[in-house]
Amino acid sequence: MSNNISMETPLMHAYGNFSHHEYSAGGEIAFGELLFDLVVKEMPLCSHLNIRGDAGDDAFCAGILQVLGIALPTQPGHYHTSRTHSLYWLGPDDWLLVSRADSIDLQAQLRAALSGHLSIVDVAGGQTIINLRGSAVALNTLLKKSSLYDFGGWGTAVEGGGRCVQTTFAKASAVVANRPDGSYELVVRRTFADYIARWLLDAGSEFGCRIEGELGA
Amino acid sequence: MTQIQQINRLAGGARVDSDGVINFTYNGRPMQGVSGDTLASALLANGVDVVGRSFKYGRARGIVGHGAEEPNAIMQIGSGASSVPNLKATQVELYEGLESAPVNGWPSVDFDLMSIAGFFSRLMPPGFYYKTFMYPAKLWMTYEHFIRRAAGLGRSPVGDDPDSYDKLNQHADVLVIGAGPAGLMAAREAARAGARVMIVDEQSEFGGSLLASTQTIENRSASAWVDLMVAELKTFANLQMLPRSTAFGYYDHNFIGILERRSDHLSLSAATGSRQRLHRVRAKRVVLATGAFERPLVFAHNDIPGVMQASSVSTYVNRYGVAPGSRMVLFTCNDSAYQTALDWHGAGRTVVAIVDSRAEPNGAMLAAVEALGMEVMLGCAVIEAQGGKRVKRALVAPINAQGTEVVGSVQRIACDLIACSGGWSPAIHLSSHTGAKPQWDEAIVGFKPGTSTQQECSAGACAGTYRLSECFAEGAQAGAQAAHKSGFGSGVGLFPQPPVEEHDEYPQQALFLVPHTQRSTRAPSQFVDMQLDVTAGSIEIAVREGFESIEHIKRYTALGFGTDQGKLGNINGMAILAKALGQSMAETGTTIFRPAYTPTTFGAIAGRDIGELFDPQRHTAMHRWHLARGAEFEDVGQWKRPWYYPRSRASGGVESLREAVDRECLAVRNSVGILDASTLGKIDIQGPDTAEFITRMYTNSYLKLAPGKCRYGVMLKEDGMIFDDGVCACLGDNHYLMYTTTGGAAGVLAWLELWQQTEWPDMQVYFTSVTDHWSTATISGPNARRVLAKVCDDIDLDRQAFGFMDWRDGTVAGVAARVFRISFTGELSYEINVPAHYGRHLWEALIAAGEAFDITPYGTESMHVLRAEKGFIIVGQDTDGSMTPADMNMDWVVAKNKTFSFIGKRSLQRSDALRDQRKQFVGLKPLNPNDVLPEGAQVVFDPQQPIPMSMQGHVTSSYYSANLGHAFALAVIKGGINRMGQVVHCPLADGRILAAEIVSSVFYDPEGARQHVE
């Protein structure tokens, strides 16, 4: 048996790809220094757990707080975050936990702390996180091109939490969240990753768009 | 070729830059315009009179208007793949190198056969299409040939569109449509109140009618005031301004489509980014400030080039610095058009006469023109224009007070321009899109917007308010109110009203059809709709032929059918109809305006969803391995699945589908094959009621399924018909994993949620899609266990210990895996699942481990053949939504005695589900072993019977089997299960009739021994 276990992140085949609009200077098409107003970066893989449960159950909320150290977000469209965990509200009884902690340990701790009707499902293999950074104009335009959702009222995220939404993204879906540094994070599904990469390059071409990632993460 | 001079260009004063010379061509002729020109203003500056030939009669036509209402100046812009047909010259901004040509005009614009003797007017009476379609049918082809050529409605480019387009989804608290006086005020108030505001205008710059106005506002020229106002609006961070943007459709829930022209005004080579952008706006409140169109006057030969709208003449003079002629007759029934006489005089041109249909108008405007010594002919009308390619004279006669009869002798007045004004019609199009029924208002002689069903209001001229000060006030109020209703501000305007210089107007006369000395059906054509050549006479003829409803008249005469949607002609047409019917305008009503307000490109509607972005392609984690192996792919839903893996032939060339599939199928039966099964839908189900819930969804029971075990199940819709199937595994207490078909995954998840949320909300069960989480490699064949053993040492693979329909957790190729021993080929099979980031690693490890057994990747085609050899159904191929489990000979999967029912059970007892002669699932063995029956072929019992034959069933799956050594098929045949051994026939479209014997649907290993091999 091979000890050499290789891993493919959903977006890695797009690393290094870029789109850049051709701009005219004196009637010539000039490629000067390539400027990218939009950078798409696949973040290192981590644990993803889908959690279902009853937000009205105090014990459930207390158990989440005890294990994660962050409160269960119960306000629609909000997420809470710490250095280790981010917990996104997806629906009234539906959350996404993204964590740097080991998935098996985390599941065991959650199972131990929680009781009653709930569901904890490892979905890490099926999704990846993309960070979108760039000028505010480029980011806003890209989001308006990609989604029907109104991101206009979000304001800025702060340390500890911000806004999120699970919505349509081009012809796929994504969880979109804002970050304190003005960037956005997308949680996208693995099998749509090639499509999403193509979409981002195409839709972002007017600003210049590049895809980055960390190989061997 | 000599350059044509801008003979009609005025010096200075307008909003164009007369030093910024722009070269363009019209019909191949080089011309010059200036920066700020539209194509129309540049053509007029160059003295171009004829810009097209009319649709039906081929009459010479000139520029009439200055905006979206223009019916005649329809141009083809550019050439080659970027060429755009059917743009209005009045809306095309001039750019360096622009190429233009009229779309109408055969054989040429300047000389047109069709106009000779009005030949076509007798050939094409009103209702021509209907009459021609009715009889004689055979002549239609002849007519059509002429009509198509005559119509000449532009040329679509042949090549692929090289431009890019995109769409933005926008959200606004207040959307203001139109940036004239009312719109500007509305936007400013709403933005000041703090609302998120968008203001859009179809022109290249904001200002609307003010851009051509000579009024003084706040002690400035209107034009300077607009500049200040626009500068002020730019200071609001919460206000988005979109010029060159047409709101073309107003849809339910305050959803508005806006087409922004981003690079159409730039030369084609300078274009960057998207050419056009579709803004899909969802607004809390909408303020419509779309203005009004001046109404033409309908008199004989009113279509001769040189007959123009009075406001358009003023616009060309004041805004573009172009005087389209030298000697003008102004013909009006209202005061507002007098301004055109003042403007014309101010441009240093001659006003020959002002013809006013009103007998005794009075007021400041009349005094102003009389002070300049202009001749005013009161109580008179221009009853006919004369000239060929340009107006030469106007025939003027006194008319009665009702405007219905000529009451005196006719004077001939030489002129080269007749500027007309029949009053104003509010642009109620967008309001009308919402379903609001326009209301006739006698006071303004026009239709006003009806009561809206949407969150909108109209302000300014589009609401029938024409005085500038009132437009300002109404706009400001509308903006403040819209902001307030969307949660901002008090609803009271915050800015003082700009002081305006204006005077009272004497009431207009309602004059929709100017009388002639002959009656309309005899008089020279009096055009109502220029674009489609509808005359007053043809409307009267339609009434004589029995039409009464305006909607019928519209379709019979084509009134308002053109790309201008009758923006000029409609009201006059309706009034002529009302008069012919002897009823009021209110009774006659108007036709309903529908989107799009102006033509919209398909490119913008498609946006970026073209080519490979038309539909997402879903890829498995092994996709690049398949690509590297040269797999051919099959679309399964949105998935790209390997179809087969053609290899190079020893003899040269590449294997055909049949050759590859034969090889792949033999490899699976004789050694081992490997399939990428990652696309199967997978749903994780948890909760105390899970077993009961899924037992209600499937036909069989899962209550006693132990952890470590799997079971195959079939799901029915309420009608008892199969809609999905798959294996369900018990992972632990209250924890199950459901497999669905590849194409059915989303539908099954929605189905589960539907029943849980709407019917059984008390059942405690949660569903989570894990389709993407797992990658699945299926190894199948007598050597499958030996391959797995090489990469897995922590699962006891003994055939008893890890039995058929069991699953185990373990480590495969160093990765935590879940292995199912289930089989879709009938061979010993393992479906190995790992988190998808390791999918390709697993796959390559299995390929390496299988090398000694010549492990063969196989695609969906071989999978289909192998399962069909075993008689396993594919839902959606062998079933079509009308098949019960009994029809598919699968009664064994239906549990009859569950405590609770299951979905579809009751429907299985319907008489129709129980009747004899339902189509039943059987195998077909062609009598000729090489006849592969076409899938879908109909089955008959007697091939000699006359057509139409009695069809007894159809072939659902059909292949050649290398393992069986002959072709075989699956089919559904009426009463088929009791017809074993009978020969049936498939008559084909090519005349052949293929015979086959009805046999069991299980062709291979009927006892099921092979999945238990050592």
Side-chain angles (χ1 to χ4, degrees):
Chain A
M1 191 193 306
S2 166
N3 291 322
N4 183 14
I5 299 170
S6 65
M7 208 173 187
E8 274 192 0
T9 73
L11 219 67
M12 63 182 269
H13 294 285
Y15 291 177
N17 289 357
F18 64 89
S19 60
H20 196 269
H21 69 273
E22 297 168 348
Y23 54 93
S24 69
E28 288 175 41
I29 291 174
F31 285 94
E33 188 172 337
L34 294 181
L35 295 174
F36 297 102
D37 227 357
L38 271 176
V39 177
V40 176
K41 183 179 180 183
E42 185 178 33
M43 303 305 283
L45 297 178
C46 47
S47 302
H48 292 240
L49 297 176
N50 189 276
I51 299 175
R52 307 287 299 271
D54 180 2
D57 175 0
D58 291 341
F60 179 73
C61 296
I64 294 283
L65 182 62
Q66 179 213 317
V67 174
L68 303 179
I70 50 177
L72 188 73
T74 51
Q75 203 182 344
H78 284 73
Y79 73 91
H80 294 158
T81 187
S82 67
R83 288 181 63 82
T84 313
H85 311 290
S86 293
L87 194 51
Y88 301 86
W89 184 96
L90 301 181
D93 60 357
D94 195 359
W95 296 267
L96 173 65
L97 171 60
V98 175
S99 176
R100 296 182 191 180
D102 178 77
S103 182
I104 306 290
D105 294 346
L106 202 50
Q107 290 180 59
Q109 288 170 32
L110 287 166
R111 289 278 179 198
L114 305 173
S115 59
H117 175 40
L118 59 101
S119 153
I120 299 170
V121 181
D122 185 356
V123 291
Q127 48 201 37
T128 192
I129 299 180
I130 295 171
N131 182 271
L132 284 179
R133 68 175 195 269
S135 71
V137 169
L139 289 171
N140 289 339
T141 305
L142 185 73
L143 289 177
K144 284 179 176 181
K145 281 185 190 179
S146 305
S147 177
L148 301 176
Y149 187 81
D150 181 7
F151 297 94
W154 269 12
T156 319
V158 295
E159 293 302 328
R163 298 295 308 272
C164 66
V165 64
Q166 181 171 234
T167 186
T168 53
F169 197 86
K171 290 189 175 181
S173 65
V175 178
V176 184
N178 60 359
R179 309 305 291 186
D181 63 1
S183 69
Y184 288 88
E185 284 192 348
L186 305 183
V187 184
V188 300
R189 288 174 65 176
R190 161 179 268 283
T191 58
F192 288 92
D194 287 337
Y195 166 77
I196 293 278
R198 278 178 182 163
W199 169 265
L200 291 172
L201 289 173
D202 189 51
S205 62
E206 66 175 297
F207 303 105
C209 180
R210 182 180 67 205
I211 298 184
E212 293 178 346
E214 289 174 25
L215 283 168
Chain B
M1 219 178 282
T2 51
Q3 186 94 39
I4 295 171
Q5 300 303 311
Q6 298 184 53
I7 53 171
N8 288 332
R9 182 73 67 183
L10 300 167
R15 285 184 75 89
V16 291
D17 173 11
S18 48
D19 295 331
V21 172
I22 292 177
N23 296 288
F24 71 102
T25 66
Y26 169 68
N27 248 349
R29 283 186 292 171
M31 295 187 184
Q32 287 186 335
V34 298
S35 173
D37 260 337
T38 61
L39 176 56
S41 66
L43 289 173
L44 289 171
N46 283 278
V48 174
D49 295 330
V50 181
V51 293
R53 287 280 168 175
S54 79
F55 171 68
K56 204 156 128 184
Y57 307 132
R59 292 172 60 90
R61 291 283 162 80
I63 294 167
V64 166
H66 63 281
E69 75 285 1
E70 172 61 38
N72 294 336
I74 313 294
M75 297 288 159
Q76 184 94 18
I77 303 296
S79 56
S82 297
S83 176
V84 186
N86 297 334
L87 295 182
K88 298 178 180 76
T90 49
Q91 295 189 299
V92 174
E93 289 177 62
L94 207 61
Y95 55 79
E96 183 66 31
L98 177 145
E99 298 170 54
S100 64
V103 297
N104 281 354
W106 166 79
S108 87
V109 168
D110 293 328
F111 174 75
D112 197 312
L113 285 173
M114 285 173 53
S115 64
I116 295 168
F119 169 69
F120 270 72
S121 73
R122 274 189 302 282
L123 195 64
M124 295 202 279
F128 166 77
Y129 296 99
Y130 302 93
K131 289 168 180 166
T132 309
F133 271 124
M134 284 161 68
Y135 64 92
K138 66 181 177 189
L139 263 182
W140 170 244
M141 297 305 284
T142 314
Y143 290 134
E144 192 195 21
H145 177 68
F146 272 93
I147 293 165
R148 295 265 178 245
R149 249 205 308 182
L153 294 173
R155 300 173 296 282
S156 286
V158 181
D160 285 349
D161 190 339
D163 291 316
S164 67
Y165 303 81
D166 59 20
K167 290 180 265 193
L168 286 193
N169 298 294
Q170 303 268 19
H171 302 265
D173 296 315
V174 177
L175 169 65
V176 180
I177 299 172
L184 289 171
M185 294 298 279
R188 184 169 68 166
E189 290 289 355
R192 174 74 178 272
R196 217 170 1 154
V197 182
M198 274 181 86
I199 176 168
V200 304
D201 193 283
E202 65 177 348
Q203 297 202 57
S204 60
E205 50 183 340
F206 280 9
S209 60
L210 296 176
L211 295 171
S213 169
T214 49
Q215 273 174 285
T216 304
I217 308 167
E218 287 184 291
N219 303 317
R220 286 182 185 80
S221 72
S223 174
W225 186 85
V226 166
D227 294 342
L228 266 182
M229 186 75 173
V230 169
E232 185 179 352
L233 291 183
K234 281 182 180 157
T235 63
F236 289 102
N238 53 329
L239 179 118
Q240 188 183 358
M241 301 164 75
L242 285 180
R244 301 189 176 94
S245 299
T246 303
F248 62 82
Y250 194 145
Y251 306 92
D252 280 354
H253 310 297
N254 264 16
F255 176 61
I256 294 96
I258 296 172
L259 183 75
E260 181 193 6
R261 293 169 292 278
R262 288 162 61 76
S263 66
D264 287 352
H265 60 293
L266 305 170
S267 69
L268 295 170
S269 60
T272 61
S274 54
R275 175 185 159 221
Q276 294 180 346
R277 177 171 277 176
L278 177 62
H279 295 264
R280 298 156 44 94
V281 185
R282 287 165 175 83
K284 286 186 186 151
R285 308 288 308 189
V286 174
V287 175
L288 297 174
T290 48
F293 294 112
E294 195 167 27
R295 203 153 49 228
L297 286 162
V298 179
F299 53 87
H301 287 165
N302 57 334
D303 65 328
I304 296 173
V307 178
M308 294 180 71
Q309 301 285 91
S311 61
S312 299
V313 171
S314 282
T315 300
Y316 287 115
V317 169
N318 297 338
R319 180 172 172 188
Y320 298 105
V322 174
S326 53
R327 297 173 57 79
M328 177 176 85
V329 166
L330 175 70
F331 177 24
T332 181
C333 60
N334 62 75
D335 270 15
S336 73
Y338 278 70
Q339 183 62 46
T340 301
L342 298 175
D343 295 340
W344 194 251
H345 178 80
R349 305 288 162 122
T350 307
V351 178
V352 183
I354 298 173
V355 179
D356 192 328
S357 65
R358 301 169 295 179
E360 297 174 322
N362 203 348
M365 296 308 281
L366 184 62
V369 298
E370 283 179 336
L372 291 169
M374 294 183 197
E375 185 186 353
V376 183
M377 304 170 74
L378 298 179
C380 289
V382 174
I383 63 164
E384 183 174 335
Q386 292 188 339
K389 292 179 196 165
R390 178 82 196 192
V391 169
K392 287 199 174 72
R393 68 192 73 83
L395 304 192
V396 178
I399 58 172
N400 62 356
Q402 296 75 38
T404 53
E405 271 178 65
V406 173
V407 293
S409 58
V410 178
Q411 270 190 67
R412 296 151 63 94
I413 301 179
C415 62
D416 63 358
L417 176 66
I418 303 176
C420 308
S421 177
W424 294 84
S425 303
I428 53 173
H429 302 70
L430 291 173
S431 154
S432 189
H433 291 178
T434 68
K437 199 168 171 51
Q439 303 294 318
W440 180 255
D441 185 328
E442 288 291 346
I444 65 154
V445 194
F447 282 101
K448 280 181 164 180
T451 309
S452 179
T453 53
Q454 300 284 338
Q455 303 297 305
E456 54 95 356
C457 70
S458 296
C462 71
T465 304
Y466 297 127
R467 279 175 76 95
L468 182 55
S469 58
E470 289 170 16
C471 288
F472 279 149
E474 217 172 89
Q477 169 74 2
Q481 279 293 318
H484 177 61
K485 286 174 179 165
S486 59
F488 299 88
S490 65
V492 179
L494 297 169
F495 293 93
Q497 172 83 1
V500 177
E501 207 176 69
E502 60 189 355
H503 24 245
D504 292 337
E505 290 190 0
Y506 189 80
Q508 63 176 311
Q509 179 179 20
L511 185 64
F512 303 111
L513 173 60
V514 178
H516 194 267
T517 51
Q518 294 176 292
R519 65 176 197 270
S520 287
T521 48
R522 289 282 169 193
S525 298
Q526 299 160 311
F527 286 93
V528 176
D529 181 326
M530 304 245 187
Q531 196 168 85
L532 291 185
D533 272 356
V534 180
T535 63
S538 62
I539 294 173
E540 290 174 6
I541 289 171
V543 171
R544 283 214 306 253
E545 292 184 4
F547 289 91
E548 295 178 355
S549 158
I550 181 62
E551 294 287 1
H552 291 154
I553 294 282
K554 169 181 173 176
R555 284 154 183 81
Y556 196 59
T557 62
L559 172 70
F561 256 73
T563 55
D564 61 347
Q565 283 202 333
K567 290 182 176 70
L568 294 180
N570 264 15
I571 304 297
N572 288 327
M574 290 158 202
I576 290 163
L577 170 65
K579 189 179 162 209
L581 290 170
Q583 63 188 26
S584 70
M585 281 296 274
E587 287 167 320
T588 305
T590 174
T591 53
I592 300 300
F593 295 109
R594 294 186 182 83
Y597 173 71
T598 49
T600 304
T601 58
F602 282 114
I605 290 166
R608 297 189 169 274
D609 300 320
I610 54 170
E612 60 185 15
L613 293 173
F614 177 69
D615 198 35
Q617 288 183 13
R618 296 180 71 180
H619 296 156
T620 72
M622 294 77 141
H623 186 69
R624 274 149 183 103
W625 191 93
H626 306 319
L627 282 176
R629 278 301 182 96
E632 294 290 334
F633 289 87
E634 179 178 34
D635 291 334
V636 184
Q638 290 177 320
W639 294 96
K640 286 282 176 195
R641 295 195 71 177
W643 185 20
Y644 61 101
Y645 297 82
R647 286 184 182 168
S648 300
R649 291 197 197 101
S651 57
V654 176
E655 283 178 338
S656 66
L657 171 65
R658 166 77 182 272
E659 288 166 334
V661 168
D662 284 356
R663 173 178 52 73
E664 292 172 12
C665 288
L666 288 168
V668 171
R669 297 267 183 244
N670 296 326
S671 180
V672 62
I674 181 167
L675 174 81
D676 182 355
S678 307
T679 62
L680 284 180
K682 294 170 277 283
I683 302 168
D684 182 286
I685 309 176
Q686 299 184 26
D689 296 320
T690 302
E692 173 62 26
F693 189 90
I694 59 180
T695 297
R696 295 182 186 185
M697 307 308 291
Y698 284 119
T699 57
N700 51 352
S701 177
Y702 290 77
L703 296 176
K704 294 196 174 109
L705 190 66
K709 295 286 184 189
C710 320
R711 185 163 290 163
Y712 170 82
V714 168
M715 281 188 200
L716 311 182
K717 284 268 161 105
E718 302 97 319
D719 60 5
M721 304 303 162
I722 294 172
F723 102 99
D724 207 78
D725 70 343
V727 165
C728 200
C730 178
L731 300 182
D733 289 343
N734 307 327
H735 193 180
Y736 291 76
L737 181 66
M738 178 184 284
Y739 279 83
T740 75
T741 57
T742 294
V748 171
L749 181 58
W751 182 244
L752 301 181
E753 290 282 5
L754 175 76
W755 282 90
Q756 199 275 328
Q757 292 182 30
T758 66
E759 297 297 326
W760 305 314
D762 50 323
M763 292 186 79
Q764 295 196 319
V765 54
Y766 286 128
F767 315 99
T768 307
S769 169
V770 287
T771 302
D772 281 24
H773 176 69
W774 298 103
S775 278
T776 309
T778 298
I779 51 173
S780 188
N783 285 317
R785 185 179 289 118
R786 296 183 184 93
V787 173
L788 181 56
K790 286 185 148 192
V791 288
C792 175
D793 51 20
D794 60 356
I795 299 176
D796 181 356
L797 299 179
D798 175 81
R799 72 182 180 120
Q800 306 294 344
F802 187 1
F804 183 57
M805 298 305 277
D806 285 354
W807 66 268
R808 296 288 181 269
D809 275 337
T811 308
V812 178
V815 179
R818 181 168 290 152
V819 183
F820 292 83
R821 198 184 142 192
I822 52 183
S823 178
F824 198 39
T825 62
E827 301 295 328
L828 172 67
S829 297
Y830 297 94
E831 297 203 348
I832 306 158
N833 296 270
V834 294
H837 304 323
Y838 300 103
R840 184 160 176 189
H841 167 75
L842 169 74
W843 182 270
E844 291 184 344
L846 290 169
I847 293 285
E851 206 173 352
F853 308 99
D854 193 18
I855 192 168
T856 301
Y858 65 98
T860 50
E861 189 67 18
S862 295
M863 179 189 82
H864 282 195
V865 175
L866 293 164
R867 66 87 207 177
E869 289 171 356
K870 288 289 297 176
F872 295 149
I873 65 164
I874 288 185
V875 172
Q877 173 158 345
D878 299 301
T879 71
D880 62 1
S882 71
M883 302 293 182
T884 67
D887 295 340
M888 301 313 286
N889 202 14
M890 290 171 73
D891 254 342
W892 52 269
V893 83
V894 180
K896 306 282 192 300
N897 300 314
K898 292 201 235 182
T899 318
F900 196 86
S901 183
F902 59 85
I903 296 168
K905 181 179 181 185
R906 194 173 62 172
S907 295
L908 296 178
Q909 303 306 313
R910 287 182 301 147
S911 55
D912 182 64
L914 294 171
R915 69 178 160 80
D916 287 342
Q917 302 303 311
R918 283 184 67 85
K919 286 185 180 179
Q920 291 174 322
F921 189 58
V922 294
L924 286 182
K925 185 177 179 187
L927 297 190
N928 177 342
N930 289 313
D931 279 347
V932 179
L933 308 175
E935 289 176 353
Q938 292 292 324
V939 172
V940 302
F941 295 148
D942 173 12
Q944 305 304 328
Q945 65 185 303
I947 294 171
M949 294 187 179
S950 171
M951 294 182 287
Q952 301 297 322
H954 63 274
V955 176
T956 59
S957 296
S958 180
Y959 314 93
Y960 180 81
S961 166
N963 286 297
L964 299 173
H966 61 80
F968 73 109
L970 300 172
V972 287
I973 293 176
K974 289 179 184 170
I977 288 170
N978 291 323
R979 293 181 181 275
M980 293 293 157
Q982 293 185 13
V983 172
V984 295
H985 306 271
C986 296
L988 305 185
D990 63 8
R992 287 183 300 150
I993 297 177
L994 305 183
E997 180 189 346
I998 298 180
V999 296
S1000 160
S1001 58
V1002 184
F1003 287 85
Y1004 192 80
D1005 183 28
E1007 57 283 359
R1010 295 189 62 87
Q1011 56 210 12
H1012 298 295
V1013 295
E1014 284 292 340

